[in-house]
């Protein structure tokens, strides 16, 4: 088979024809129950979840009140991507989302890659939400007087890593009571867990149980899922509006000064957390075949969901950072935390209940999206035929739904929240980049049937290259120090926590004796605390770290160890040059181009390890493609006839 066979494309006409032939192929049609209002509710259900109840705290702690600008930027980027999704959904109103769109725009191999990436988005995203749901649910049980053992409410990786960090910090003089609550829980989970042959059995049982319940509901039918989602959306919107109304009376505007305490870098540090708060609107596009009028309602549902959620996020961020100082918000349950701190415990209880409901609704939407991606890939022969089986009574992709339950439920027992959040973000951003690029590839093709919705056209021929030049001028004229530091790969001083958790007991003792020698009356035996007190003065901190009696490799990050973290940003910068030439040559449409650039930038802000893990995931997918999918593809069978 020629290499060009890898890029064989499906036409829009063939896709629409295939949908009509599903019954004759043994696939029953999916039930059509959804309106624009239902789609908007699904979008809100998917977006308003772990982001507003959990990750917003970390983002606010990093960026201060100015985190609202990050919400605006992320909403804008998602809106640009939503335009591209809406145009494709109007053009190709079938289940499959970005996978199907890429099959039309780029060809089979890219469609497979994006389908494989979407598996990561939905499956890993639901693992993330299941873990967050478990945290809130066990917290709710705790307030009701029921304390579950730590080892059945925490994942294995968090317990293992937390035990090691806690041990290192306690060796450095920190008492157990002075450890963060997360480290205390991890240490307790690890030390109290059953040990079988040297293996510590630590697993997040509630996370798996909620996946089982949601999978059963999704299996049961779209109408039931829709009704449950709509009810949960009403409840959580009521609670969020109540939080805003009550919290507004406790806002102290002095907490908004400084507005951006850590500058632009502090605001951008929360990119992954804030973007994760928006993930979900694209899941609406997987329900295209179950919409009464997908070409009209899908674009409306996406846009309204993003607009409503952005307004809610910004108001919530302002209320939170006004009620307490931004630097107190680095907690897993920020909404409940601020009301408890202000002695409004009745509100904390209401928030805990609403968080459990909100995150369950997110699980519902994502657990619907995943099987429909697999169903579409199976219809094309890229996955076994079982994945496209539709239940004759419930009208849902039954086999794919059950497999999704296993794929999400089992890893939720063991995986770490931070890892899965970032993996979900990079998989989603990659999908957004390809959907935006797909619209650009197809914009000038005359033989493509267009739907009712089309992205407004603004020629980027001169706008984008000029914007790139202006951006470079700003970087060198007004942000020269940071720009030159990036280009020259200047050595970075590690934080106190990184230093102390990276050394053994003997080195910890050496550091302690050195730090004590600098003070006439040391106030603590905690080595990390002794070192942290100098951190506010960058020059003094760097001078003290330079004198620490330990290896430079622990004190600093330099050379390739530092450069490797900049590789994603270099990929982004080089891509900008290529996109500028493409925009000039092909008169590209500005909105999808801005969507592509925004999403690629957010990918560049994720750590290099996320890129590495994502690349490994894609390589695994390619092995499956070349081992099974390429040969069994229906496009291949047509070519062989």
């Amino acid at each position: 088979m020629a290499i060009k066979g890898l890029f064989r494309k499906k036409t829009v006409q063939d896709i629409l024809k295939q949908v009509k032939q599903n019954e004759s192929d043994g696939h029953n049609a999916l039930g059509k129950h959804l309106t624009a209002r239902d789609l908007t509710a699904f979008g809100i259900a998917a977006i308003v979840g772990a982001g507003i109840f959990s990750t917003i705290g970390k983002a606010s702690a990093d960026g201060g009140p100015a985190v609202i600008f990050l919400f605006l930027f992320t909403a804008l980027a998602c809106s640009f991507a939503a335009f591209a999704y809406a145009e494709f959904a109007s053009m190709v109103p079938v289940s499959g989302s970005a996978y199907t769109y890429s099959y039309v725009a780029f060809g089979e191999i890219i469609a497979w890659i994006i389908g494989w990436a979407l598996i990561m988005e939905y499956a890993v995203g639901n693992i993330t939400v299941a873990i967050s749901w478990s945290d809130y649910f066990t917290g709710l049980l705790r307030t009701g007087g029921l304390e579950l053992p730590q080892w059945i409410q925490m994942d294995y990786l968090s317990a293992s890593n937390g035990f090691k960090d806690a041990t290192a910090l306690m060796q450095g003089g920190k008492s157990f009571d002075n450890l963060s609550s997360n480290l205390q829980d991890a240490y307790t989970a690890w030390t109290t867990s059953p040990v079988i042959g040297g293996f510590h059995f630590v697993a997040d049982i509630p996370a798996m149980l909620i996946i089982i319940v949601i999978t059963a509901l999704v299996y049961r039918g779209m109408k039931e899922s829709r009704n449950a989602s709509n009810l949960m959306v009403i409840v959580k919107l009521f609670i969020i509006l109540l939080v805003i109304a009550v919290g507004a009376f406790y806002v102290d505007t002095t907490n908004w000064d400084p507005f951006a305490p850590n500058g632009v870098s502090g605001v951008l540090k929360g990119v992954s957390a804030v973007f994760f708060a928006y993930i979900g609107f694209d899941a609406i596009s997987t329900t295209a075949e179950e919409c009464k009028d997908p070409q009209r309602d899908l674009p409306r549902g996406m846009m309204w969901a993003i607009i409503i959620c952005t307004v809610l996020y910004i108001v919530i961020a302002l209320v939170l950072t006004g009620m307490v100082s931004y630097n107190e918000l680095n907690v897993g349950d920020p909404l409940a935390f601020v009301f408890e701190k202000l002695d409004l415990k009745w509100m904390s209880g209401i928030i805990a209940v609403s968080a459990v409901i909100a995150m369950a609704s997110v699980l519902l939407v994502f657990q619907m999206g995943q099987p429909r991606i697999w169903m579409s890939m199976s219809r094309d022969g890229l996955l076994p035929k079982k994945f496209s089986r539709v239940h004759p009574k419930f009208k849902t992709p039954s086999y794919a739904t059950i497999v999704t339950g296993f794929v999400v439920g089992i890893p939720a027992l063991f995986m770490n929240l931070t890892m899965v959040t970032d993996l979900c973000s990079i998989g989603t951003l990659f999908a957004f980049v390809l959907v935006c690029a797909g619209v650009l590839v197809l914009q000038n093709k005359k033989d493509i049937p267009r739907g009712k919705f089309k992205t407004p056209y603004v020629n980027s021929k001169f706008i984008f290259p000029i914007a790139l030049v202006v951006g470079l001028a700003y970087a060198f004229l007004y942000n020269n120090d940071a720009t030159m530091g990036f280009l020259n790969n200047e050595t970075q001083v590690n934080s106190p926590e990184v230093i102390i958790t990276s050394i053994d007991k003997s080195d910890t003792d050496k550091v302690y004796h050195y730090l004590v020698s600098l003070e006439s009356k040391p106030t603590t035996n905690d080595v990390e605390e002794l070192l942290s007190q100098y951190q506010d003065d960058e020059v003094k901190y760097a001078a003290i770290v330079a004198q620490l009696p330990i290896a430079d490799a622990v004190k600093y990050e330099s050379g390739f160890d530092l450069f490797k973290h900049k590789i994603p940003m270099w990929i982004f910068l080089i891509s900008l040059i290529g996109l500028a030439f493409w925009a000039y040559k092909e008169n590209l449409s500005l909105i999808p181009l801005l969507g592509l650039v925004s999403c690629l930038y957010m990918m560049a802000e994720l750590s290099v390890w996320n890129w590495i893990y994502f690349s490994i995931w894609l390589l695994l997918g390619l092995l499956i493609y070349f081992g099974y999918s390429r040969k069994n593809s229906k496009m291949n069978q047509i070519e062989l006839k």
Side-chain angles (χ1 to χ4, degrees):
M1 186 189 302
I3 294 295
K4 69 177 183 179
L6 298 176
F7 297 94
R8 52 197 171 208
K9 299 177 183 178
K10 297 180 73 172
T11 65
V12 175
Q13 294 91 334
D14 287 341
I15 292 173
L16 298 176
K17 197 181 298 181
Q18 181 183 332
V19 173
K20 294 179 181 178
Q21 293 175 345
N22 280 338
E23 281 196 36
S24 62
D25 288 342
H27 308 306
N28 294 301
L30 297 174
K32 293 184 179 293
H33 303 291
L34 304 179
T35 63
R37 184 178 62 185
D38 297 322
L39 292 169
T40 303
F42 273 139
I44 296 171
I47 297 171
V48 178
I52 205 163
F53 287 100
S54 181
T55 57
I56 193 175
K58 175 70 166 61
S60 298
D62 289 332
V67 74
I68 63 170
F69 296 118
L70 184 55
F71 280 115
L72 283 171
F73 168 72
T74 308
L76 200 59
C78 288
S79 296
F80 292 148
F83 270 109
Y85 266 94
E87 182 165 338
F88 264 126
S90 181
M91 188 191 310
V92 194
V94 298
S95 297
S97 185
Y99 157 75
T100 302
Y101 310 156
S102 295
Y103 220 141
V104 173
F106 303 110
E108 185 172 283
I109 185 68
I110 305 299
W112 169 266
I113 289 172
I114 199 64
W116 193 246
L118 286 170
I119 291 173
M120 171 177 280
E121 175 190 349
Y122 294 129
V124 176
N126 249 3
I127 293 168
T128 308
V129 180
I131 294 170
S132 294
W133 183 91
S134 174
D135 290 343
Y136 267 96
F137 180 70
T138 52
L140 188 61
L141 292 180
R142 199 176 301 121
T143 59
L146 180 59
E147 181 74 48
L148 298 178
Q150 281 295 334
W151 56 271
I152 69 167
Q153 57 176 296
M154 178 174 284
D155 64 275
Y156 181 89
L157 289 176
S158 291
S160 175
N161 295 334
F163 173 77
K164 291 173 185 174
D165 288 346
T167 302
L169 291 171
M170 286 192 289
Q171 286 177 349
K174 189 183 286 290
S175 68
F176 180 80
D177 290 338
N178 285 332
L179 292 172
S180 68
S181 60
N182 289 339
L183 288 182
Q184 287 183 18
D185 291 344
Y187 187 89
T188 302
W190 190 259
T191 53
T192 59
S193 62
V195 181
I196 306 170
F199 176 80
H200 287 255
F201 183 81
V202 183
D204 197 339
I205 302 297
M208 184 184 70
L209 292 178
I210 187 60
I211 290 297
I212 293 173
V213 172
I214 294 296
T215 301
L217 179 59
V218 172
Y219 182 90
R220 183 68 179 76
M222 174 57 75
K223 189 181 292 185
E224 291 76 9
S225 299
R226 177 200 65 188
N227 294 340
S229 173
N230 289 347
L231 178 62
M232 288 188 280
V233 166
I234 291 170
V235 171
K236 68 182 177 182
L237 285 181
F238 172 77
I239 298 299
I240 289 169
L241 292 174
L242 179 64
V243 167
I244 292 170
V246 174
F249 289 100
Y250 293 87
V251 168
D252 181 355
T253 55
T254 59
N255 286 325
W256 291 339
D257 185 21
F259 198 72
N262 299 314
V264 175
S265 62
V267 173
L268 292 177
K269 195 174 180 182
V271 160
S272 176
V274 169
F275 177 73
F276 183 75
Y278 279 94
I279 287 176
F281 78 84
D282 59 310
I284 300 173
S285 62
T286 67
T287 65
E289 285 182 49
E290 289 143 293
C291 298
K292 293 180 178 178
D293 188 350
Q295 294 182 316
R296 181 196 67 189
D297 294 341
L298 277 169
R300 292 182 181 182
M302 288 183 196
M303 293 304 175
W304 275 115
I306 291 175
I307 291 168
I308 292 169
C309 292
T310 300
V311 173
L312 291 175
Y313 280 156
I314 289 174
V315 176
I316 282 283
L318 287 173
V319 169
L320 283 179
T321 54
M323 291 175 72
V324 301
S325 175
Y326 71 92
N327 53 25
E328 297 181 57
L329 289 171
N330 190 11
V331 293
D333 52 350
L335 269 66
F337 167 79
V338 294
F339 284 100
E340 195 167 325
K341 184 177 175 63
L342 295 173
D343 204 28
L344 295 171
K345 294 185 179 178
W346 63 276
M347 276 296 294
S348 295
I350 291 175
I351 290 166
V353 173
S354 67
V356 169
I357 295 171
M359 291 184 192
S361 70
V362 179
L363 286 169
L364 178 65
V365 178
F366 272 47
Q367 208 71 354
M368 283 192 313
Q370 176 69 84
R372 285 154 179 79
I373 298 294
W374 275 342
M375 180 183 71
S376 295
M377 296 175 76
S378 174
R379 284 174 174 175
D380 295 328
L382 302 184
L383 287 176
K385 197 172 183 179
K386 285 183 178 180
F387 284 90
S388 56
R389 183 187 300 159
V390 174
H391 196 284
K393 179 181 178 182
F394 301 139
K395 305 297 183 184
T396 57
S398 51
Y399 181 81
T401 300
I402 293 171
V403 173
T404 299
F406 281 102
V407 168
V408 176
I410 293 174
L413 290 169
F414 308 107
M415 289 189 75
N416 172 290
L417 183 62
T418 302
M419 175 188 291
V420 291
T421 300
D422 289 346
L423 281 175
C424 181
S425 293
I426 196 169
T428 306
L429 286 166
F430 183 68
F432 287 6
V433 165
L434 282 186
V435 170
C436 291
V439 170
L440 294 173
V441 167
L442 298 180
Q443 71 171 28
N444 294 323
K445 294 194 175 180
K446 307 298 184 187
D447 57 340
I448 301 293
R450 305 290 172 179
K452 296 177 182 177
F453 179 86
K454 191 154 187 339
T455 305
Y457 177 78
V458 178
N459 193 339
S460 66
K461 182 183 183 78
F462 297 111
I463 296 174
F464 188 76
I466 290 172
L468 183 58
V469 171
V470 171
L472 288 172
Y474 173 83
F476 284 101
L477 294 177
Y478 298 100
N479 198 27
N480 187 61
D481 290 344
T483 302
M484 295 310 297
F486 176 85
L487 295 174
N488 295 329
N489 203 40
E490 292 178 359
T491 299
Q492 301 289 317
V493 183
N494 282 327
S495 68
E497 184 176 0
V498 169
I499 293 173
I500 302 306
T501 55
S502 302
I503 56 180
D504 58 22
K505 183 69 169 65
S506 61
D507 280 341
T508 301
D509 291 338
K510 292 177 187 176
V511 172
Y512 173 73
H513 290 304
Y514 172 73
L515 294 174
V516 167
S517 70
L518 300 177
E519 302 187 29
S520 56
K521 293 182 179 180
T523 56
T524 179
N525 292 327
D526 186 341
V527 182
E528 185 200 6
E529 190 175 326
L530 285 172
L531 187 55
S532 296
Q533 65 187 345
Y534 301 106
Q535 205 172 6
D536 290 339
D537 186 336
E538 291 185 14
V539 176
K540 188 173 183 179
Y541 176 69
I544 288 174
V545 169
Q547 298 302 315
L548 293 179
I550 53 177
D552 284 351
V554 177
K555 296 187 285 188
Y556 304 108
E557 196 169 34
S558 60
F560 183 74
D561 284 340
L562 178 60
F563 177 76
K564 68 186 178 187
H565 297 296
K566 299 178 180 179
I567 292 174
M569 187 56 70
W570 276 110
I571 293 173
F572 169 71
L573 294 173
I574 293 169
S575 298
L576 284 182
I577 298 172
L579 290 171
F581 279 110
W582 190 25
Y584 184 82
K585 182 182 177 185
E586 299 292 340
N587 298 318
L588 297 181
S589 177
L590 184 64
I591 290 177
L593 180 60
L594 290 176
L596 191 160
V597 170
S598 302
C599 294
L600 192 58
Y601 171 76
M602 287 190 283
M603 285 182 71
E605 285 289 340
L606 297 175
S607 82
V608 69
W609 295 113
N610 294 312
W611 286 65
I612 292 171
Y613 297 144
F614 183 57
S615 299
I616 293 171
W617 175 259
L618 291 183
L619 287 174
L620 177 62
L622 288 174
L623 288 176
I624 296 173
Y625 174 76
F626 285 105
Y628 174 87
S629 306
R630 187 185 187 197
K631 179 177 63 177
N632 290 280
S633 165
K634 288 189 176 178
M635 294 285 286
N636 181 50
Q637 293 168 9
I638 291 171
E639 287 181 0
L640 293 177
K641 287 181 180 178

